Amino acid sequence: MDAYKLLISGDIPLTGHTSVSGGKNTSVALIPAALMCDDPCTLDNLPDIEDVHVLVDILRGLGARVDYSTVTKRMVIDPRGVNACTVPYKQTQRMRASYYLLGALLTRCGEANVGYPGGCAIGNRPFDQHIKGFRALGAEVSEEGGMICAKGSLQGRTVFFDRITVGGTINVMLAAVKAKGQTVLCNAAREPHVVDLANFLNSMGASVKGAGTDTIRIRGVQKLHASQYTVIPDQIETGTLMIAAAATHGDVTVHGCIPTHMEALTAKLLEMGVSVTDEDDAIRVRPIGPHRAINVKTQEYPGFPTDLQQPMSALLCKAQGTSVVTETIFESRFKHLSEMRRMGARARILEQTAFIEGTQELHGAPVTATDLRAGAALVVAGLMATGTTEIYEPGFIERGYEHLEEKLRALGAIVRREPV
Ligand code: EPZ
């Protein structure tokens, strides 16, 4: 149980300007990638979130020198001292993306023994496609005592993913950058953070082509040289802030984002009757009138992101009419709606589909976050509700959002912590 809870006094329009931080899901891929470099690398714009701090601990445990400032958001990683290829379960279970150490250490050391990953309980989340890719490149992979053990010298091969997987695409890309010959990843994920990783690897001298499409070609290289790279802004934080603005019928401009990454959400907000205008590296969200109910179906990028389904379905709880939300990526990503019933939300869940009957009003209540984006959804719900909402287990939110409370307060929200 977290030692504190969040209290939100809702029904206040958010207004003003905010800035989005560096991306969580890109940072947790690029930091392990820096381990493969033959020289020190510098990463900028890294968000001050728990997942980044966990990776700093893991890299230091492997012998890398890591200098990280939460003020400058700059991390310098010197992997030349890496003297181990084992990451214990007590570290890996603290986050999902710890399994990227498999691809990175396989490339650097020819061997990797990594504990099972942790991460949000939103479904089964196997990693069979990661293992399929490593084996295709010639690695021997086994699972022993909660550890995934991989070793071998890697040859370029064609890997056809049985389903589109962000983690699988990233992990096998990491394993392929120094493999002998060409690797082709077919049915690859196209998310912005896949492209960001490819750009970072290429800045170190790798040869990765086609990232952002469903076919990625990687020609193995001998050496990766030093690079200084700035990670892209967080697509999901941008979307969460946009949804929070719409939820309070506020007027908010989100700066430092990439509007083209937000097109699926922007289209849905426009469909609901929210004003969304793109500026160069900013998006402005303004109210027009009552929100219309809409249908949302999550899909791999560039479709509607599953990570925004939870905040979006919270927003739909006050739309006029019944919305249908279909979650096609994960098996169990509607728990926040069960919590919101205590606030007056009316949602019926049938397997992968939620039927949300919009209500005039939500009222504050005690609710519990069950995962990172469920936490974000409950924050959106609290901002929409009259009265005060208490959110227990808000620690989940800190895993993926940098200083969210401060950002919301700066926009006029009444959010505070209270010891439990
Ligand atoms: C990444 O998870 C993100 N996490 C998730 O964000 C995000 O929801 C997801 O991609 C989809 O965009 C990070 O980047 C750290 P997948 P990942 O592999 O890589 C199945 C957040 O809130 N699958 O694309 O685990 C899997 O079970 C988090 O920031 C297999 O069957 O997602 C899921 O149903 C939550 N076998 C689907 O594919 C595999 O080997 C998509 O998973 C791998 C995945």
Side-chain angles (χ1 to χ4, degrees):
M1 168 75 99
D2 287 338
Y4 71 97
K5 59 187 175 184
L6 275 188
L7 273 71
I8 300 178
S9 303
D11 211 14
I12 300 168
L14 299 183
T15 55
H17 298 261
T18 187
S19 293
V20 69
S21 303
K24 162 176 99 78
N25 291 343
T26 189
S27 300
V28 298
L30 272 66
I31 293 169
L35 275 183
M36 306 187 300
C37 193
D38 297 292
D39 306 313
C41 273
T42 299
L43 290 172
D44 283 317
N45 195 33
L46 290 178
D48 175 11
I49 56 175
E50 191 184 318
D51 277 11
V52 167
H53 293 284
V54 170
L55 279 173
V56 171
D57 292 345
I58 290 176
L59 264 62
R60 286 176 176 157
L62 290 167
R65 180 186 159 82
V66 182
D67 297 312
Y68 172 45
S69 161
T70 56
V71 175
T72 63
K73 314 280 183 218
R74 167 166 286 191
M75 186 182 290
V76 180
I77 298 165
D78 183 351
R80 291 173 295 189
V82 169
N83 53 21
C85 59
T86 297
V87 188
Y89 176 68
K90 71 176 186 321
Q91 285 188 310
T92 58
Q93 54 89 28
R94 294 167 65 190
M95 60 184 291
R96 175 83 191 158
S98 52
Y99 56 23
Y100 292 150
L101 274 303
L102 282 164
L105 288 172
L106 251 184
T107 291
R108 180 173 189 90
C109 317
E111 184 180 352
N113 307 298
V114 176
Y116 282 135
C120 293
I122 51 180
N124 175 21
R125 305 188 82 177
F127 39 78
D128 56 298
Q129 297 301 303
H130 302 229
I131 292 175
K132 169 183 177 173
F134 295 146
R135 284 182 173 146
L137 298 185
E140 283 169 40
V141 186
S142 60
E143 295 179 51
E144 295 150 30
M147 301 288 282
I148 309 160
C149 306
K151 67 179 174 189
S153 64
L154 305 176
Q155 317 289 326
R157 287 287 185 282
T158 294
V159 178
F160 193 98
F161 289 110
D162 301 336
R163 71 173 291 167
I164 296 172
T165 156
V166 170
T169 301
I170 287 174
N171 227 344
V172 182
M173 188 191 291
L174 293 172
V177 284
K178 284 189 168 178
K180 290 182 188 58
Q182 170 160 284
T183 295
V184 182
L185 304 184
C186 302
N187 200 22
R190 299 161 55 186
E191 269 68 7
H193 33 294
V194 172
V195 177
D196 209 30
L197 173 64
N199 291 337
F200 174 51
L201 294 172
N202 288 335
S203 77
M204 290 194 276
S207 168
V208 182
K209 295 181 173 38
T213 75
D214 61 4
T215 305
I216 301 175
R217 297 176 193 288
I218 302 157
R219 180 162 299 288
V221 295
Q222 300 282 329
K223 185 174 165 30
L224 294 174
H225 56 69
S227 165
Q228 179 172 342
Y229 191 83
T230 300
V231 306
I232 54 171
D234 194 305
Q235 173 202 19
I236 306 305
E237 185 196 9
T238 304
T240 305
L241 293 167
M242 290 166 67
I243 290 169
T248 59
H249 292 272
D251 180 348
V252 173
T253 302
V254 181
H255 294 272
C257 63
I258 301 177
T260 50
H261 288 170
M262 307 314 302
E263 285 172 353
L265 172 64
T266 297
K268 284 297 167 183
L269 290 175
L270 292 171
E271 200 183 324
M272 282 182 76
V274 177
S275 162
V276 184
T277 42
D278 292 356
E279 291 147 25
D280 181 22
D281 67 346
I283 293 178
R284 185 176 180 187
V285 176
R286 276 174 287 182
I288 297 173
H291 293 163
R292 293 185 288 272
I294 58 166
N295 297 337
V296 176
K297 183 174 184 180
T298 63
Q299 309 223 306
E300 296 86 359
Y301 191 82
F304 192 93
T306 175
D307 294 348
L308 288 176
Q309 177 270 101
Q310 291 159 287
M312 186 63 164
S313 50
L315 173 63
L316 290 169
C317 287
K318 279 185 75 177
Q320 290 184 334
T322 298
S323 300
V324 180
V325 178
T326 308
E327 172 57 67
T328 69
I329 308 293
F330 289 107
E331 302 92 337
S332 170
R333 209 165 190 178
F334 288 125
K335 292 179 201 144
H336 58 295
L337 290 174
S338 314
E339 290 295 307
M340 286 179 62
R341 285 203 186 102
R342 265 179 253 133
M343 303 173 70
R346 288 205 289 262
R348 202 160 38 85
I349 296 159
L350 214 56
E351 291 177 356
Q352 299 304 98
T353 303
F355 299 88
I356 301 171
E357 191 188 332
T359 56
Q360 288 293 328
E361 187 171 308
L362 292 176
H363 49 79
V367 290
T368 300
T370 51
D371 57 77
L372 164 59
R373 307 302 176 184
L378 294 174
V379 168
V380 169
L383 292 169
M384 290 162 78
T386 54
T388 300
T389 298
E390 297 178 313
I391 301 176
Y392 291 83
E393 299 304 319
F396 280 111
I397 301 169
E398 286 185 348
R399 278 200 43 217
Y401 290 95
E402 181 184 66
H403 311 152
L404 183 62
E405 294 157 52
E406 289 84 339
K407 289 180 181 175
L408 292 175
R409 272 199 289 273
L411 293 170
I414 299 178
V415 186
R416 68 182 196 283
R417 294 187 177 195
E418 207 172 78
V420 173

